[in-house]
């Protein structure tokens, strides 16, 4: 399987994603934001970080960068796109995903382990996944997902909510919501479910010496689904 | 403007120093030249009060590749890998503008590390604030933490460990010490020594603005009521640009274009250009019209003294300008050829076709003043006599609650959860452990690091305190299973012109030196911050020690959390029961006098090395060093982290039980051992003549002392974790 990770100026999880993708069997290429063509890929990843310093609004400048049109074309033709953290923010800025990511409710950067409950596993990302609740890691200042009532309704009606923040046993409650996201939303899909944006970082949880191993569960399942 | 003594004094120079400048030049300097002298001769850049004493430090060792004197120190960790590291203070700016002060402190130290060709792999910090009751403390803490996070998180370097201390002596002078570790191939280290004549001098990074002018001079002065007016001297950080600069510099370093490179830190273009030329025994000529400026009509004086961040000065090989420029264009950074190296041995500056400065470089570097300031020795304070009456009315439950939720002991999770500590995917011991540990990417090796200070001990007796901090750093590394290699020191002190403060400095250094020699734990880099004084009140002497150690195989890493119930808990090292200067004495008995705990370097080394043997033979399940709050607090932390309890066996010692549990005697550890392994562990301890006490055993949840349940671990965890969140909410 071929994957590509886009590097924007200020991306800082690009290497981590590269390491994770390769560990689970992807042939990964790094793509510079100023390129206009994507290599042949089965998966495009927009990694975490602070693209362009996130100085205007998180992800907004990256959402206008040269490579993005190719990413949009790739996504519109059904290609698989994954945006993690800043990547999720960029996807909302391009309009490929609905809603916005606001500053965390406690107005502080949060770096810690959290749990997410997978809400829809009828898609390439999560089908056949062996665990319904994953322990992943978040590290962000703007992860507080928000959208209008109409958008929320359509997300729910089309089953586009990918995952909710929850307790270790899968209960979705206010206490397990780390950043104030509406309805505890941790990640969403587009209508066709070929684009996934989520705040948690699976690439930081890929061996027993790190904060956990549920990232491995995510990647192993993903590559299995793509084969 | 005509320069005279009054203007020189306004620049922070002393009248006799100004006279020396005139004598050296055989003329009156112009304003730009005076600015350059004041920047190079201030305490921050010239180390004029400390140089004499710093020379004494133990800086040599088998694994030392580069000691003090470069941008950072370098140690060998085998297989051509080397670790570049340094700690630096950003105290004065952080008090005036906590967010930017702390942020640019982190940015500055990272630049020092990647200037040498190393990719930063970990950040640490040691921060000291005033009393928790003081009205400024909360906002300063919030601002500093946000600043450290804002910079490090954006760059994408994990913040893996730190230290936070509250004490009223920092009410008017907080301390922000930032440390960075970087990884480099030992054959590809870059230095700041220029070589060769007519080599192009290149300016890269951000544009120069008016921020931070005279920042280094501010850092060399004491504070008064008008401190708010100094805000414009605080630099503004731009971590995004630094991230680009980091990537661009490392890209340029992959070939052989660079002769010398130096970041523009304190005193900006002035000190970077002079340092490179001085080390190479060369002259340097700069055309200031070529310097990329952010603001209009900047004068030579302003350009030379600006401390705008995220800038580097490079001496390049001839003919490499175009290929180098391409890299900086790719990263959208300024790149300008602003001058060349010369054989004049002078710094010569041109602006609008006129020569605006011409100073022999040796006057600025070698001829800078050096003082042997008078200092006063501190006597060892008398021991406080405690009797059983002091302890009679105490109840364990009350004492535990008070101690574990004490600001200097409680969990700092509120702080480190705001730092990205997992980016780069190699953090295998996150903050909250004895030391942070990151893997050396793609290898079996891992690097451990911690920062420590013990201002109360240093205040009570600087010599003992100085020794103690080094030992504490050593112990923290041992506790995660790492072999300690070297240290960096950040020496935060009051006014060196006062003999008490100068005495504290001299004796702390002597203490650091003695321990560093004995433990073969050399100092490879560091920084001095004097004048931490407001309105005549200085801080407690606070040498901060950053230690670095190596795990040859990260599988041998060990953590402090109790692993399961029914295991034995051992206290390693002798408990004498000295509680003078302990948190217990201060918080519970309200006794602040007395000497710090004694340091026995033989025991320190022997105990540490024996612990490492036990760890490497995989006989310990968890290890934690005993520090503030003594055995009791150390054991409770192990309970909290592992979500287990502990049953202490009935106490049979000769000293009072409170003295036993809360004394801060040095060189001690607590380890958890499987019952089946006790014999093996005992035999190693006995063979090495290491004293140990069998303390008790781990339980499911209950913390039992004298056969009585005190608390469950959940309750103690609540006290431990809750205090700082409550304070900050």
């Amino acid at each position: 399987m071929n994957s590509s990770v886009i590097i924007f100026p200020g991306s800082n999880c690009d290497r981590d994603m590269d390491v994770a993708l390769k560990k689970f069997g992807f042939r990964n290429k790094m793509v510079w934001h100023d390129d206009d063509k994507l290599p042949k890929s089965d998966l495009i990843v927009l990694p975490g970080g602070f693209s362009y310093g996130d100085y205007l609004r998180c992800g907004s400048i990256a959402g206008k960068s040269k490579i993005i049109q190719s990413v949009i074309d790739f996504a519109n033709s059904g290609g698989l796109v994954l945006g993690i953290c800043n990547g999720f923010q960029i996807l909302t800025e391009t309009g490929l995903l609905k809603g916005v990511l606001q500053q965390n409710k406690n107005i502080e950067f949060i770096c810690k382990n959290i749990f997410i409950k997978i809400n829809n596993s009828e898609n390439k990302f999560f089908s056949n996944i062996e665990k319904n609740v994953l322990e992943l890691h978040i590290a962000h200042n703007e992860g507080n997902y928000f959208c209008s009532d109409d958008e929320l309704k359509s997300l729910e009606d089309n089953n586009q909510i990918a995952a909710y923040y929850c307790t270790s046993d899968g209960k979705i409650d206010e206490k397990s919501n780390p950043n104030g996201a509406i309805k505890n939303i941790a990640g969403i899909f587009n209508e066709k479910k070929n684009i996934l944006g989520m705040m948690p970082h699976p690439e930081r949880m890929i061996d027993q010496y790190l904060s956990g191993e549920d990232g491995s569960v995510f990647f192993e399942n993903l590559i299995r689904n793509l084969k | 403007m005509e320069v005279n003594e009054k203007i020189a004094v306004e620049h922070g120079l002393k009248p006799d120093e100004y006279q020396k400048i005139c004598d050296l030049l055989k003329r009156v300097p112009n304003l730009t030249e005076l600015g350059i002298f004041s920047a190079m001769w201030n305490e921050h850049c010239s180390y004029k009060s400390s140089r004499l004493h710093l020379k004494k430090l133990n800086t040599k060792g088998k694994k030392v590749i580069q000691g003090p004197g470069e941008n950072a120190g370098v140690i060998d960790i085998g297989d051509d890998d080397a670790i570049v590291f340094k700690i630096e203070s950003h105290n004065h700016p952080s008090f005036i503008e906590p967010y930017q002060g702390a942020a640019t402190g982190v940015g500055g130290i990272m630049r020092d590390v990647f200037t040498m060709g190393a990719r930063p792999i970990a950040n640490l910090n040691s921060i000291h604030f005033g009393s928790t009751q003081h009205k400024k403390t909360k906002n300063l803490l919030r601002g500093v933490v946000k600043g450290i996070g804002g910079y490090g998180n954006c760059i994408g370097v994990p913040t893996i460990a730190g230290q936070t201390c509250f004490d009223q002596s920092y009410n008017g002078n907080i301390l922000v010490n930032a440390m960075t570790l970087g990884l480099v191939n030992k054959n590809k280290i870059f230095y700041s020594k220029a070589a060769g004549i007519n080599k192009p001098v290149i300016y890269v990074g951000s544009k120069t603005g008016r921020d931070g002018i005279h920042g280094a001079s501010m850092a060399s002065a004491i504070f008064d009521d008008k401190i708010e007016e100094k805000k414009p001297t605080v630099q503004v950080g731009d971590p995004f640009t630094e991230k680009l600069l980091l990537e661009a510099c490392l890209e340029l370093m992959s070939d052989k274009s660079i002769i010398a490179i130096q970041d523009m830190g304190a005193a900006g273009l002035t000190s970077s250009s002079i340092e490179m030329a001085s080390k190479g025994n060369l002259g340097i000529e700069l055309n200031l019209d070529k310097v990329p400026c952010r603001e209009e009509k900047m004068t030579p004086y302003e350009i030379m003294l600006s401390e705008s961040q995220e800038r580097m000065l490079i001496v390049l090989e001839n003919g490499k300008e175009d290929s180098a420029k391409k890299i900086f264009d790719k990263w959208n950074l300024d790149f300008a050829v602003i001058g060349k190296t010369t054989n004049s041995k002078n710094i010569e500056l041109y602006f609008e076709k006129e020569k605006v400065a011409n100073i022999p470089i040796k006057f600025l570097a070698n001829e800078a003043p050096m003082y042997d300031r008078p200092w006063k020795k501190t006597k060892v304070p008398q021991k406080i006599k405690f009797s059983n009456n002091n302890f009679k009315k105490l109840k364990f439950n009350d004492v535990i609650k008070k101690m574990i939720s004490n600001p200097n002991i409680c969990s700092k999770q509120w702080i480190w959860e705001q730092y990205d500590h997992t980016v780069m995917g190699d953090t295998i011991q996150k903050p909250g452990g004895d030391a942070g540990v990151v893997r050396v990417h793609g290898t079996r090796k891992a690097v451990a690091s911690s920062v420590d200070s013990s201002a109360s001990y240093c205040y009570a007796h600087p010599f003992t305190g100085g020794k103690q901090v080094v030992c504490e750093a050593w112990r923290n590394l041992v506790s995660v299973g790492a072999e300690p290699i070297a240290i960096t020191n950040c020496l935060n002190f009051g006014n060196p012109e006062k003999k008490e403060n100068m005495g504290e400095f001299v004796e702390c250094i002597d203490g650091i030196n003695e321990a560093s020699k004995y433990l073969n734990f050399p100092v490879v880099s560091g920084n001095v911050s004097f004048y931490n004084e407001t309105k005549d009140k200085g801080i407690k002497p606070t040498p901060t020690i950053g230690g670095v150690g190596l795990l040859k195989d990260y599988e041998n890493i060990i953590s402090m959390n109790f692993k399961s119930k029914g295991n034995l808990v051992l206290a390693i090292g002798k408990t004498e029961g000295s509680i003078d200067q302990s948190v217990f004495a201060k918080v519970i008995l309200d006794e602040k006098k007395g000497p710090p705990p004694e340091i026995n370097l033989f025991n320190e080394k022997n105990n540490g090395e024996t612990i490492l043997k036990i760890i490497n033979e995989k006989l310990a399940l968890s290890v934690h060093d005993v520090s503030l709050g003594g055995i009791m607090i150390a054991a409770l932390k192990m309970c909290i982290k592992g979500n287990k309890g502990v049953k202490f066996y009935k106490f049979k010692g000769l000293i009072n039980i409170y003295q036993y549990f809360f004394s801060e005697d040095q060189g001690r550890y607590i380890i958890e051992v499987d019952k089946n392994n006790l014999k093996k562990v005992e035999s190693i301890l006995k063979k090495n003549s290491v004293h140990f006490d069998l303390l008790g055993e781990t339980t499911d949840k209950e913390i039992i002392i004298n056969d009585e349940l005190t608390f469950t671990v959940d309750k103690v965890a609540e006290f431990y974790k809750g205090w700082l969140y409550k304070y900050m909410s």
Side-chain angles (χ1 to χ4, degrees), chain B residues 269-453:
Chain B
L269 191 50
T270 294
S271 74
S272 55
S273 57
I274 290 165
E275 219 153 288
M276 287 206 289
S278 162
K279 283 188 179 145
N281 197 21
L282 294 167
I284 193 164
E285 185 186 299
L286 301 179
N287 182 351
L288 300 182
D289 297 303
K290 297 272 171 68
V291 173
C293 286
R294 195 190 305 151
E295 293 170 64
E296 280 179 23
K297 292 188 179 156
M298 286 187 66
T299 63
Y301 176 92
E302 290 170 327
I303 292 170
M304 288 309 287
L305 295 178
S306 160
E307 287 191 8
S308 290
Q309 300 287 292
E310 294 91 24
R311 303 177 301 160
M312 292 273 190
L313 202 61
I314 300 172
V315 177
L316 218 54
E317 284 292 359
N318 298 96
K320 296 284 187 183
E321 294 93 324
D322 289 346
S323 54
K325 185 169 185 302
K326 241 186 218 157
I327 293 173
F328 287 88
D329 284 349
K330 173 186 160 189
W331 292 98
N332 259 324
L333 293 165
D334 270 294
F335 176 100
V337 181
I338 64 164
K340 60 182 184 195
T341 56
T342 67
N343 59 4
S344 72
K345 303 203 175 164
N346 284 17
I347 177 166
E348 294 167 274
L349 304 178
Y350 291 87
F351 186 68
E352 293 175 348
K353 290 184 181 135
E354 267 181 56
K355 196 179 229 181
V356 292
N358 185 8
I359 311 169
I361 282 171
K362 64 174 181 199
F363 294 171
L364 296 163
N366 322 15
E367 301 279 341
M370 178 160 86
Y371 298 127
D372 184 3
R373 298 202 187 273
W375 59 275
K376 200 178 140 191
K377 218 172 155 69
T378 308
K379 278 191 213 142
V380 184
Q382 263 207 320
K383 258 192 171 298
I384 308 289
K385 288 202 176 78
F386 294 100
S387 71
N388 278 338
N389 278 340
N390 292 91
F391 311 107
K392 227 166 56 192
K393 286 185 187 151
L394 299 179
K395 287 206 180 81
F396 263 106
N397 283 33
D398 301 341
V399 174
I400 286 175
K401 187 177 171 188
K402 241 182 164 169
M403 291 287 290
I404 199 88
S405 59
N406 178 272
N408 287 325
I409 284 177
C410 74
S411 164
K412 303 302 182 296
Q413 195 166 337
W414 181 86
I415 295 172
W416 53 255
E417 261 187 13
Q418 297 185 54
Y419 303 149
D420 191 332
H421 47 264
T422 51
V423 65
M424 295 185 93
D426 280 311
T427 306
I428 57 173
Q429 173 62 59
K430 62 180 188 176
D434 282 318
V437 184
V438 287
R439 293 186 292 210
V440 176
H441 192 68
T443 74
R444 300 297 302 172
K445 292 183 284 190
V447 175
S449 188
S450 75
V451 272
D452 296 287
S453 75

Side-chain angles (χ1 to χ4, degrees), chain B residues 101-344:
Chain B
T104 53
V106 175
I109 192 63
M110 276 197 276
R111 251 179 346 268
D112 278 337
V113 166
F114 73 74
T115 303
M116 301 197 71
R119 178 174 285 281
I121 57 168
N123 284 330
L124 296 91
N125 59 76
S126 163
I127 52 183
H128 291 66
F129 298 90
S131 150
T132 55
Q133 308 300 318
H134 190 269
K135 62 179 192 295
K136 278 195 168 173
T137 299
K138 241 182 250 188
N139 283 340
L140 287 169
L141 173 61
R142 194 182 300 278
V144 164
V145 170
K146 268 201 181 322
I148 291 173
Y151 212 103
N153 298 348
C154 180
I155 296 256
V157 175
T159 300
I160 60 164
Q163 179 217 12
T164 310
C165 169
F166 299 95
D167 183 288
Q168 59 173 0
S169 88
Y170 308 104
N171 281 354
N173 290 82
I174 62 170
L175 303 183
V176 175
N177 296 174
M179 174 172 168
T180 297
L181 276 69
L183 176 67
V184 70
N185 179 307
K186 77 170 180 194
N187 305 309
K188 290 182 183 160
I189 300 169
F190 289 82
Y191 295 98
S192 59
K193 181 183 167 183
I197 291 158
N198 274 329
K199 302 290 179 191
V201 175
I202 314 287
Y203 171 115
V204 296
S206 286
K207 289 180 168 44
T208 296
R210 289 194 169 90
D211 54 326
I213 291 178
H214 280 310
S217 308
M218 171 191 67
S220 307
I222 52 176
F223 283 165
D224 53 28
D225 286 335
K226 293 182 188 155
I227 188 63
E228 294 294 321
E229 291 172 16
K230 302 223 169 172
K231 256 193 187 158
T233 61
V234 178
Q235 311 85 336
V236 179
D238 174 2
F240 171 58
T241 301
E242 175 131 319
K243 167 73 174 164
L244 304 183
L245 189 61
L246 160 70
E247 299 300 338
C249 285
L250 292 183
E251 201 171 318
L252 178 61
M253 285 161 168
S254 62
D255 75 5
K256 289 180 177 147
S257 320
I258 297 176
I259 297 172
I261 177 165
Q262 172 79 39
D263 83 295
M264 295 191 221
L269 191 50
T270 294
S271 74
S272 55
S273 57
I274 290 165
E275 219 153 288
M276 287 206 289
S278 162
K279 283 188 179 145
N281 197 21
L282 294 167
I284 193 164
E285 185 186 299
L286 301 179
N287 182 351
L288 300 182
D289 297 303
K290 297 272 171 68
V291 173
C293 286
R294 195 190 305 151
E295 293 170 64
E296 280 179 23
K297 292 188 179 156
M298 286 187 66
T299 63
Y301 176 92
E302 290 170 327
I303 292 170
M304 288 309 287
L305 295 178
S306 160
E307 287 191 8
S308 290
Q309 300 287 292
E310 294 91 24
R311 303 177 301 160
M312 292 273 190
L313 202 61
I314 300 172
V315 177
L316 218 54
E317 284 292 359
N318 298 96
K320 296 284 187 183
E321 294 93 324
D322 289 346
S323 54
K325 185 169 185 302
K326 241 186 218 157
I327 293 173
F328 287 88
D329 284 349
K330 173 186 160 189
W331 292 98
N332 259 324
L333 293 165
D334 270 294
F335 176 100
V337 181
I338 64 164
K340 60 182 184 195
T341 56
T342 67
N343 59 4
S344 72

Side-chain angles (χ1 to χ4, degrees), chain B residues 439-476:
Chain B
R439 293 186 292 210
V440 176
H441 192 68
T443 74
R444 300 297 302 172
K445 292 183 284 190
V447 175
S449 188
S450 75
V451 272
D452 296 287
S453 75
S454 316
S456 297
Y457 296 167
C458 291
Y459 183 63
H461 192 241
F463 178 69
T464 311
K467 277 198 285 191
Q468 193 275 341
V469 200
V470 175
C471 293
E472 170 112 34
W474 156 276
R475 231 177 283 145
N476 280 328

Side-chain angles (χ1 to χ4, degrees), chain B residues 589-610:
Chain B
L589 305 177
D590 197 26
E591 176 58 70
K592 295 186 176 63
K593 296 201 195 79
E598 277 172 39
I599 303 288
N600 178 323
L601 288 170
F602 173 83
N603 286 345
E604 193 66 58
K605 189 161 191 240
N606 190 35
N607 295 1
E609 286 172 349
T610 309

